[in-house]
Amino acid sequence: MKYQIEEKEYIQKPLVLGQIRQLSEILKGMILPKTENVSDWVMALSGKLSEAIGVVLIDPDVPLKDKDLQKFSRDIEFSIQPEMACKVIEDFFDCNPIASLAQKLEGMVSKASEATGRMLEEEKIGLRESASSSQEQTSPEETPSSGDTRSASAPLT
């Protein structure tokens, strides 16, 4: 997707991991719409709209890893028309299968959670079996002992 904003041309492509991380930081703690309705997203993003657009728009002359996101977002905020902002958001959903990605991530988290739960349960069972299988030691007088203790008749060397 290509966008002409003032005298500069920007593009939008499917997100890479760095952009996903940046967007996650921007969206943290926000209540997000469960639809791809552009007006719902504009309202939800409100004060962070220029930051989100700053993440998804790419300046072809600047590698993503070198992008100054704060400066870029500030520049975009004072140059992008509201109609163009809506177009960028609309294209974002065409470019990025968010629902599909969210389902995959949810599935991965669920599987990891289940695996972790199983591992913790197995660890607990293993610890219980280990503790119950060790025999209590007794001293010559047949009283329980907590391990090596010096006898009263042993020299103090």
Side-chain angles (χ1 to χ4, degrees):
M1 317 286 179
K2 292 184 181 184
Y3 311 91
Q4 186 73 35
I5 302 173
E6 293 188 340
E7 295 84 39
K8 183 78 176 154
E9 183 174 272
Y10 300 96
I11 60 173
Q12 182 174 187
K13 301 188 303 189
L15 295 176
V16 296
L17 290 176
Q19 288 172 298
I20 292 171
R21 180 186 51 76
Q22 291 171 329
L23 269 180
S24 295
E25 287 298 315
I26 291 167
L27 302 176
K28 192 180 290 181
M30 294 177 68
I31 298 171
L32 302 176
K34 297 190 184 291
T35 69
E36 294 179 8
N37 182 306
V38 173
S39 59
D40 291 346
W41 278 90
V42 168
M43 293 305 293
L45 290 168
S46 61
K48 298 198 175 211
L49 183 59
S50 60
E51 290 178 67
I53 290 174
V55 170
V56 300
L57 286 186
I58 299 168
D59 181 342
D61 300 329
V62 179
L64 279 175
K65 64 181 179 167
D66 297 332
K67 181 194 240 179
D68 181 343
L69 184 57
Q70 288 181 338
K71 180 183 179 331
F72 187 70
S73 297
R74 205 172 37 250
D75 292 346
I76 287 295
E77 181 175 15
F78 290 99
S79 58
I80 194 168
Q81 299 290 319
E83 297 81 14
M84 181 67 73
C86 289
K87 176 77 172 131
V88 169
I89 293 172
E90 186 177 303
D91 292 346
F92 173 81
F93 290 108
D94 290 338
C95 230
N96 298 282
I98 299 302
S100 170
L101 181 60
Q103 284 178 331
K104 286 179 185 176
L105 288 173
E106 190 176 294
M108 287 170 46
V109 168
S110 177
K111 285 181 184 178
S113 180
E114 288 173 16
T116 303
R118 279 195 306 273
M119 287 172 38
L120 289 173
E121 192 57 37
E122 289 170 4
E123 246 178 59
K124 286 179 189 175
I125 291 169
L127 288 173
R128 276 187 257 144
E129 287 176 357
S130 173
S132 63
S133 65
S134 62
Q135 294 180 354
E136 190 177 74
Q137 294 181 2
T138 56
S139 65
E141 293 85 26
E142 295 297 320
T143 58
S145 169
S146 61
D148 291 340
T149 56
R150 189 176 13 187
S151 92
S153 62
L156 295 172
T157 58

